[in-house]
Amino acid sequence: MPARILVVDDSELNVKLLVEYLEYESYVVSTAANGFEGLAKIEAERPDIVLLDVLMPGLDGFETCRRIKADPATAHIPVVMVTALGGVDDLVRGFEAGADDFLTQPVNRSALMVRVRSQLQRKRNYERILEASLVDPLTAAFNRRYFDLHAPRLAARCRAAGKPVAILVVDVDHLKRINDMHGHAAGDRVLKEIVDRAKFGLRPSDLVARVGGDEFVVLMPETDLDAANQVAERLGARIGHAPIEGFVVSASIGAAASKLGAVEELDAMLQRADAALYEAKKVGGDRGSADSGERRLADRRWSTAWQFIWRSWRRTRFSAPRTPSSRQRSGNRYRR
Protein backbone atom coordinates (compact mmCIF):
# COMPACT_ATOMS: atom_id res chain seq x y z
CA MET A 1 0.00 0.00 0.00
CA PRO A 2 1.49 3.38 -0.99
CA ALA A 3 2.52 5.70 1.82
CA ARG A 4 0.22 8.66 2.55
CA ILE A 5 1.86 12.06 2.67
CA LEU A 6 0.29 15.32 3.85
CA VAL A 7 1.64 18.59 2.43
CA VAL A 8 0.84 21.63 4.59
CA ASP A 9 1.70 24.90 2.83
CA ASP A 10 -0.13 28.14 2.08
CA SER A 11 1.69 28.61 -1.24
CA GLU A 12 -0.19 27.05 -4.15
CA LEU A 13 2.98 26.98 -6.25
CA ASN A 14 4.94 25.08 -3.59
CA VAL A 15 2.08 22.65 -3.04
CA LYS A 16 1.74 21.97 -6.76
CA LEU A 17 5.45 21.24 -7.09
CA LEU A 18 5.60 18.91 -4.08
CA VAL A 19 2.45 17.04 -5.15
CA GLU A 20 3.88 16.55 -8.63
CA TYR A 21 7.15 15.14 -7.30
CA LEU A 22 5.45 12.84 -4.78
CA GLU A 23 2.71 11.51 -7.04
CA TYR A 24 5.33 10.68 -9.66
CA GLU A 25 6.78 8.30 -7.06
CA SER A 26 3.29 6.78 -6.50
CA TYR A 27 2.71 8.28 -3.05
CA VAL A 28 -0.84 9.17 -2.01
CA VAL A 29 -0.84 12.92 -1.35
CA SER A 30 -3.30 15.20 0.42
CA THR A 31 -2.88 18.90 1.09
CA ALA A 32 -3.76 21.57 3.63
CA ALA A 33 -3.44 25.34 3.25
CA ASN A 34 -2.63 26.22 6.87
CA GLY A 35 -1.69 24.78 10.23
CA PHE A 36 -5.24 24.42 11.56
CA GLU A 37 -6.40 22.59 8.45
CA GLY A 38 -3.28 20.45 8.62
CA LEU A 39 -3.99 19.38 12.20
CA ALA A 40 -7.56 18.49 11.25
CA LYS A 41 -6.37 16.35 8.34
CA ILE A 42 -3.78 14.61 10.49
CA GLU A 43 -6.53 13.73 12.96
CA ALA A 44 -8.80 12.40 10.21
CA GLU A 45 -6.31 10.76 7.83
CA ARG A 46 -3.34 9.72 9.98
CA PRO A 47 -0.74 10.27 7.21
CA ASP A 48 2.57 8.42 7.21
CA ILE A 49 4.59 11.64 6.94
CA VAL A 50 3.94 15.41 7.02
CA LEU A 51 5.75 17.97 4.87
CA LEU A 52 5.23 21.20 6.77
CA ASP A 53 5.90 24.76 5.64
CA VAL A 54 7.37 27.00 8.32
CA LEU A 55 6.02 30.42 7.34
CA MET A 56 2.22 30.29 7.34
CA PRO A 57 -0.38 32.80 8.56
CA GLY A 58 -2.35 32.06 11.70
CA LEU A 59 -0.58 28.97 12.97
CA ASP A 60 3.01 28.76 11.77
CA GLY A 61 4.92 25.57 11.13
CA PHE A 62 6.76 25.61 14.46
CA GLU A 63 3.58 25.70 16.51
CA THR A 64 1.84 23.19 14.20
CA CYS A 65 4.76 20.79 14.64
CA ARG A 66 4.71 21.30 18.39
CA ARG A 67 1.03 20.35 18.53
CA ILE A 68 1.56 17.27 16.36
CA LYS A 69 4.30 16.02 18.65
CA ALA A 70 2.40 16.88 21.84
CA ASP A 71 -0.43 14.49 20.96
CA PRO A 72 0.46 10.85 21.80
CA ALA A 73 -1.75 9.67 18.95
CA THR A 74 0.26 11.61 16.32
CA ALA A 75 3.67 12.08 17.94
CA HIS A 76 5.15 9.17 15.97
CA ILE A 77 4.31 10.74 12.57
CA PRO A 78 7.51 12.12 11.00
CA VAL A 79 7.48 15.86 10.29
CA VAL A 80 9.81 17.32 7.64
CA MET A 81 9.84 21.11 7.73
CA VAL A 82 10.09 22.82 4.36
CA THR A 83 11.53 26.30 4.66
CA ALA A 84 13.46 29.06 2.93
CA LEU A 85 14.95 29.99 6.30
CA GLY A 86 18.55 28.91 6.60
CA GLY A 87 19.74 30.31 9.91
CA VAL A 88 21.00 28.09 12.72
CA ASP A 89 18.51 29.66 15.13
CA ASP A 90 15.61 28.57 12.88
CA LEU A 91 16.95 25.01 12.69
CA VAL A 92 17.30 24.87 16.47
CA ARG A 93 13.79 26.25 16.91
CA GLY A 94 12.43 23.64 14.50
CA PHE A 95 14.12 20.71 16.21
CA GLU A 96 12.97 22.00 19.58
CA ALA A 97 9.41 21.95 18.21
CA GLY A 98 9.90 18.27 17.34
CA ALA A 99 10.78 18.35 13.64
CA ASP A 100 12.41 15.16 12.37
CA ASP A 101 14.19 16.75 9.41
CA PHE A 102 14.44 19.92 7.29
CA LEU A 103 14.20 20.57 3.56
CA THR A 104 15.23 23.93 2.13
CA GLN A 105 13.49 25.82 -0.66
CA PRO A 106 13.64 25.77 -3.58
CA VAL A 107 13.00 22.05 -3.16
CA ASN A 108 15.38 19.68 -4.88
CA ARG A 109 13.56 16.58 -6.08
CA SER A 110 16.33 14.13 -5.15
CA ALA A 111 16.75 15.66 -1.69
CA LEU A 112 12.99 15.45 -1.16
CA MET A 113 12.83 11.76 -2.05
CA VAL A 114 15.82 10.87 0.12
CA ARG A 115 14.24 12.54 3.14
CA VAL A 116 10.81 11.02 2.51
CA ARG A 117 12.18 7.49 2.14
CA SER A 118 14.41 7.89 5.19
CA GLN A 119 11.57 9.10 7.42
CA LEU A 120 9.18 6.41 6.19
CA GLN A 121 11.75 3.73 6.99
CA ARG A 122 12.22 5.17 10.47
CA LYS A 123 8.47 5.12 11.01
CA ARG A 124 8.19 1.49 9.87
CA ASN A 125 11.01 0.49 12.21
CA TYR A 126 9.32 2.29 15.08
CA GLU A 127 5.99 0.60 14.37
CA ARG A 128 7.60 -2.84 14.26
CA ILE A 129 9.28 -2.24 17.61
CA LEU A 130 6.05 -0.87 19.07
CA GLU A 131 4.03 -3.84 17.84
CA ALA A 132 6.58 -6.27 19.27
CA SER A 133 6.38 -4.51 22.63
CA LEU A 134 2.57 -4.85 22.77
CA VAL A 135 2.07 -8.45 21.61
CA ASP A 136 2.77 -11.61 23.58
CA PRO A 137 5.37 -13.44 21.43
CA LEU A 138 4.16 -16.91 22.45
CA THR A 139 0.42 -16.71 21.86
CA ALA A 140 0.15 -13.64 19.57
CA ALA A 141 -2.47 -12.24 21.96
CA PHE A 142 -1.92 -8.71 23.21
CA ASN A 143 0.19 -8.40 26.36
CA ARG A 144 -0.48 -6.72 29.70
CA ARG A 145 1.08 -3.46 28.55
CA TYR A 146 -1.32 -3.22 25.60
CA PHE A 147 -4.27 -4.07 27.83
CA ASP A 148 -3.33 -1.39 30.36
CA LEU A 149 -2.98 1.19 27.57
CA HIS A 150 -6.08 0.48 25.49
CA ALA A 151 -8.67 -1.32 27.63
CA PRO A 152 -9.52 1.74 29.80
CA ARG A 153 -10.11 3.82 26.66
CA LEU A 154 -12.37 1.16 25.17
CA ALA A 155 -14.36 0.91 28.40
CA ALA A 156 -14.62 4.71 28.64
CA ARG A 157 -16.00 4.94 25.09
CA CYS A 158 -18.68 2.37 25.91
CA ARG A 159 -19.57 4.24 29.10
CA ALA A 160 -19.83 7.55 27.24
CA ALA A 161 -22.12 5.94 24.65
CA GLY A 162 -24.30 4.37 27.34
CA LYS A 163 -23.29 0.86 26.26
CA PRO A 164 -22.33 -2.00 28.59
CA VAL A 165 -18.89 -3.55 28.64
CA ALA A 166 -18.01 -6.99 29.98
CA ILE A 167 -14.80 -8.68 30.99
CA LEU A 168 -13.77 -12.33 31.29
CA VAL A 169 -10.75 -13.54 33.25
CA VAL A 170 -9.68 -16.93 31.86
CA ASP A 171 -7.33 -19.16 33.84
CA VAL A 172 -5.92 -22.43 32.45
CA ASP A 173 -6.41 -25.35 34.84
CA HIS A 174 -3.42 -27.53 35.74
CA LEU A 175 -0.82 -25.80 33.58
CA LYS A 176 1.75 -26.25 36.36
CA ARG A 177 1.20 -29.99 36.25
CA ILE A 178 1.87 -30.06 32.50
CA ASN A 179 4.98 -27.92 32.93
CA ASP A 180 6.32 -30.08 35.75
CA MET A 181 5.64 -33.43 34.08
CA HIS A 182 6.31 -32.65 30.42
CA GLY A 183 8.37 -29.46 30.36
CA HIS A 184 7.64 -25.81 29.68
CA ALA A 185 7.76 -26.33 25.90
CA ALA A 186 4.69 -28.55 26.16
CA GLY A 187 2.98 -25.99 28.39
CA ASP A 188 3.78 -23.26 25.87
CA ARG A 189 2.15 -25.23 23.05
CA VAL A 190 -0.94 -25.76 25.21
CA LEU A 191 -1.19 -22.03 25.92
CA LYS A 192 -0.89 -21.13 22.25
CA GLU A 193 -3.58 -23.59 21.19
CA ILE A 194 -5.92 -22.43 23.95
CA VAL A 195 -5.67 -18.82 22.76
CA ASP A 196 -6.26 -19.91 19.15
CA ARG A 197 -9.39 -21.79 20.20
CA ALA A 198 -10.63 -18.89 22.31
CA LYS A 199 -10.17 -16.35 19.49
CA PHE A 200 -12.26 -18.55 17.20
CA GLY A 201 -15.34 -17.78 19.28
CA LEU A 202 -14.82 -14.03 19.72
CA ARG A 203 -15.58 -10.92 17.67
CA PRO A 204 -12.89 -8.81 16.03
CA SER A 205 -13.83 -5.99 18.42
CA ASP A 206 -13.12 -8.12 21.51
CA LEU A 207 -9.71 -7.50 23.09
CA VAL A 208 -7.78 -10.61 24.15
CA ALA A 209 -4.66 -10.12 26.29
CA ARG A 210 -2.35 -12.46 28.14
CA VAL A 211 -1.86 -10.88 31.56
CA GLY A 212 -0.07 -13.72 33.37
CA GLY A 213 1.59 -17.05 32.80
CA ASP A 214 -1.67 -18.97 32.47
CA GLU A 215 -4.21 -16.16 32.67
CA PHE A 216 -5.94 -14.22 29.91
CA VAL A 217 -8.40 -11.36 29.91
CA VAL A 218 -11.13 -10.77 27.32
CA LEU A 219 -12.69 -7.30 27.17
CA MET A 220 -15.98 -7.22 25.23
CA PRO A 221 -17.54 -3.86 24.29
CA GLU A 222 -21.33 -3.53 24.07
CA THR A 223 -21.80 -6.76 26.04
CA ASP A 224 -23.92 -7.26 29.17
CA LEU A 225 -23.51 -9.93 31.84
CA ASP A 226 -25.95 -12.39 30.25
CA ALA A 227 -24.09 -12.25 26.94
CA ALA A 228 -20.75 -12.50 28.75
CA ASN A 229 -21.94 -15.67 30.50
CA GLN A 230 -22.90 -17.19 27.16
CA VAL A 231 -19.49 -16.35 25.71
CA ALA A 232 -17.80 -17.85 28.77
CA GLU A 233 -19.83 -21.02 28.32
CA ARG A 234 -18.78 -21.33 24.69
CA LEU A 235 -15.13 -20.55 25.41
CA GLY A 236 -14.94 -23.20 28.11
CA ALA A 237 -16.43 -25.81 25.79
CA ARG A 238 -14.15 -24.87 22.89
CA ILE A 239 -11.02 -24.90 25.00
CA GLY A 240 -11.78 -28.42 26.30
CA HIS A 241 -13.42 -29.95 23.23
CA ALA A 242 -10.35 -32.00 22.22
CA PRO A 243 -6.96 -32.85 23.77
CA ILE A 244 -4.00 -30.54 23.14
CA GLU A 245 -0.62 -32.22 22.72
CA GLY A 246 -2.26 -35.32 24.15
CA PHE A 247 -3.42 -33.50 27.29
CA VAL A 248 -7.01 -33.06 28.38
CA VAL A 249 -7.18 -29.35 29.21
CA SER A 250 -9.77 -27.08 30.76
CA ALA A 251 -10.15 -23.49 31.89
CA SER A 252 -11.97 -21.59 34.59
CA ILE A 253 -13.57 -18.27 33.74
CA GLY A 254 -14.77 -15.36 35.84
CA ALA A 255 -17.22 -12.88 34.31
CA ALA A 256 -18.25 -9.34 35.23
CA ALA A 257 -20.01 -6.50 33.40
CA SER A 258 -20.52 -2.80 33.91
CA LYS A 259 -23.48 -1.88 36.07
CA LEU A 260 -26.26 0.12 34.47
CA GLY A 261 -26.08 3.79 35.39
CA ALA A 262 -22.99 3.34 37.57
CA VAL A 263 -19.66 5.04 36.94
CA GLU A 264 -17.05 2.37 37.52
CA GLU A 265 -13.39 2.20 36.59
CA LEU A 266 -12.18 -0.79 34.63
CA ASP A 267 -9.93 -1.87 37.51
CA ALA A 268 -12.95 -2.36 39.76
CA MET A 269 -14.72 -4.48 37.14
CA LEU A 270 -11.54 -6.51 36.63
CA GLN A 271 -11.39 -7.16 40.39
CA ARG A 272 -14.99 -8.40 40.36
CA ALA A 273 -14.26 -10.76 37.46
CA ASP A 274 -11.12 -12.01 39.22
CA ALA A 275 -13.14 -12.67 42.39
CA ALA A 276 -15.63 -14.66 40.31
CA LEU A 277 -12.74 -16.64 38.84
CA TYR A 278 -11.52 -17.42 42.34
CA GLU A 279 -14.94 -18.82 43.18
CA ALA A 280 -14.84 -21.07 40.11
CA LYS A 281 -11.36 -22.29 41.07
CA LYS A 282 -12.34 -22.85 44.70
CA VAL A 283 -15.04 -25.36 43.78
CA GLY A 284 -12.92 -27.37 41.37
CA GLY A 285 -12.25 -25.36 38.23
CA ASP A 286 -13.34 -26.26 34.68
CA ARG A 287 -16.35 -23.97 34.95
CA GLY A 288 -17.50 -20.37 34.83
CA SER A 289 -18.70 -18.03 37.53
CA ALA A 290 -20.31 -14.61 37.25
CA ASP A 291 -19.66 -11.70 39.56
CA SER A 292 -21.59 -12.44 42.76
CA GLY A 293 -22.63 -8.79 42.96
CA GLU A 294 -24.75 -9.31 39.85
CA ARG A 295 -25.96 -12.82 39.02
CA ARG A 296 -24.16 -16.13 39.51
CA LEU A 297 -23.55 -18.30 36.48
CA ALA A 298 -24.76 -21.23 38.61
CA ASP A 299 -21.12 -22.30 39.16
CA ARG A 300 -21.63 -25.36 37.04
CA ARG A 301 -19.54 -27.53 34.79
CA TRP A 302 -19.72 -26.48 31.15
CA SER A 303 -23.12 -27.33 29.65
CA THR A 304 -23.29 -30.93 28.42
CA ALA A 305 -25.79 -29.94 25.74
CA TRP A 306 -23.57 -27.16 24.42
CA GLN A 307 -20.51 -29.44 24.40
CA PHE A 308 -22.45 -32.06 22.42
CA ILE A 309 -23.52 -29.49 19.80
CA TRP A 310 -20.03 -27.99 19.55
CA ARG A 311 -18.25 -31.32 19.28
CA SER A 312 -20.70 -32.59 16.67
CA TRP A 313 -20.12 -29.49 14.54
CA ARG A 314 -16.35 -29.83 14.90
CA ARG A 315 -16.44 -33.52 13.95
CA THR A 316 -18.50 -32.71 10.86
CA ARG A 317 -16.23 -29.89 9.70
CA PHE A 318 -12.79 -30.86 10.91
CA SER A 319 -13.08 -34.53 11.97
CA ALA A 320 -11.87 -33.55 15.43
CA PRO A 321 -11.41 -36.39 17.97
CA ARG A 322 -14.01 -36.92 20.67
CA THR A 323 -13.34 -35.45 24.08
CA PRO A 324 -12.31 -38.08 26.66
CA SER A 325 -14.99 -38.69 29.24
CA SER A 326 -12.69 -38.12 32.20
CA ARG A 327 -11.96 -34.47 32.96
CA GLN A 328 -9.53 -32.88 35.36
CA ARG A 329 -11.48 -31.38 38.22
CA SER A 330 -9.17 -29.12 40.15
CA GLY A 331 -7.58 -25.84 39.15
CA ASN A 332 -4.05 -24.70 39.88
CA ARG A 333 -3.21 -21.05 39.40
CA TYR A 334 0.38 -20.67 38.38
CA ARG A 335 2.58 -17.86 37.10
CA ARG A 336 5.58 -18.62 34.93
Side-chain angles (χ1 to χ4, degrees):
M1 182 177 177
R4 295 159 298 148
I5 300 178
L6 174 64
V7 176
V8 185
D9 198 320
D10 63 324
S11 168
E12 293 184 8
L13 183 60
N14 291 341
V15 169
K16 182 178 180 180
L17 183 65
L18 290 171
V19 170
E20 180 181 332
Y21 287 164
L22 294 167
E23 288 184 341
Y24 182 82
E25 298 292 333
S26 299
Y27 293 116
V28 176
V29 186
S30 60
T31 64
N34 56 65
F36 292 111
E37 185 182 348
L39 291 173
K41 287 208 170 184
I42 291 170
E43 175 69 23
E45 300 175 3
R46 289 293 192 268
D48 294 300
I49 187 171
V50 177
L51 300 181
L52 180 62
D53 183 31
V54 170
L55 299 177
M56 295 184 294
L59 194 68
D60 66 18
F62 296 122
E63 181 59 27
T64 302
C65 183
R66 193 173 290 108
R67 295 190 186 188
I68 294 170
K69 297 300 182 176
D71 186 346
T74 60
H76 66 287
I77 299 175
V79 176
V80 176
M81 288 191 141
V82 184
T83 177
L85 303 176
V88 174
D89 291 344
D90 296 314
L91 292 176
V92 170
R93 187 181 174 192
F95 284 124
E96 286 178 342
D100 296 278
D101 205 344
F102 273 84
L103 188 64
T104 57
Q105 294 175 336
V107 172
N108 176 275
R109 181 172 183 169
S110 297
L112 169 66
M113 291 306 126
V114 166
R115 282 165 169 78
V116 166
R117 285 192 290 267
S118 174
Q119 292 303 323
L120 288 175
Q121 185 60 51
R122 285 183 57 191
K123 182 173 181 286
R124 284 191 287 268
N125 292 340
Y126 167 81
E127 289 172 344
R128 279 195 291 266
I129 293 171
L130 180 63
E131 182 180 1
S133 72
L134 298 176
V135 174
D136 175 47
L138 173 63
T139 63
F142 290 115
N143 61 19
R144 182 60 183 261
R145 182 167 180 262
Y146 183 95
F147 181 84
D148 290 342
L149 285 171
H150 293 274
R153 300 174 189 172
L154 183 58
R157 284 201 296 269
C158 288
R159 185 167 61 242
K163 303 288 185 180
V165 61
I167 194 164
L168 303 179
V169 180
V170 184
D171 190 281
V172 182
D173 297 327
H174 298 298
L175 183 64
K176 185 178 187 302
R177 183 181 301 174
I178 295 174
N179 288 328
D180 291 345
M181 296 178 63
H182 303 279
H184 285 274
D188 288 347
R189 291 192 293 271
V190 168
L191 283 172
K192 187 177 187 309
E193 177 62 21
I194 284 175
V195 172
D196 290 343
R197 291 183 182 184
K199 285 181 177 179
F200 185 80
L202 297 170
R203 304 168 300 179
S205 59
D206 296 332
L207 191 163
V208 183
R210 184 186 181 192
V211 296
D214 53 3
E215 189 169 284
F216 300 85
V217 172
V218 182
L219 186 69
M220 300 178 290
E222 300 185 23
T223 305
D224 60 18
L225 188 63
D226 286 336
N229 289 337
Q230 295 172 22
V231 174
E233 184 96 357
R234 292 198 301 268
L235 288 185
R238 283 173 175 147
I239 287 170
H241 88 274
I244 302 174
E245 295 285 320
F247 310 117
V248 177
V249 297
S250 64
S252 301
I253 303 177
S258 57
K259 299 176 181 178
L260 217 59
V263 178
E264 181 184 33
E265 294 298 326
L266 182 63
D267 283 348
M269 190 175 10
L270 186 58
Q271 289 174 10
R272 293 194 285 112
D274 198 58
L277 171 68
Y278 177 78
E279 292 298 318
K281 287 290 199 180
K282 190 168 64 174
V283 294
D286 189 18
R287 68 195 67 212
S289 177
D291 169 38
S292 58
E294 295 283 337
R295 180 179 63 79
R296 188 60 65 90
L297 186 64
D299 255 2
R300 62 186 182 276
R301 298 292 289 253
W302 302 115
S303 163
T304 303
W306 170 252
Q307 287 198 35
F308 175 78
I309 295 170
W310 170 248
R311 293 172 191 156
S312 298
W313 182 83
R314 292 287 292 184
R315 284 198 303 273
T316 302
R317 188 170 181 182
F318 299 109
S319 299
R322 296 181 65 87
T323 304
S325 58
S326 61
R327 301 292 299 254
Q328 300 172 336
R329 298 190 60 85
S330 62
N332 189 342
R333 302 188 71 178
Y334 177 61
R335 295 289 181 271
R336 293 193 294 131

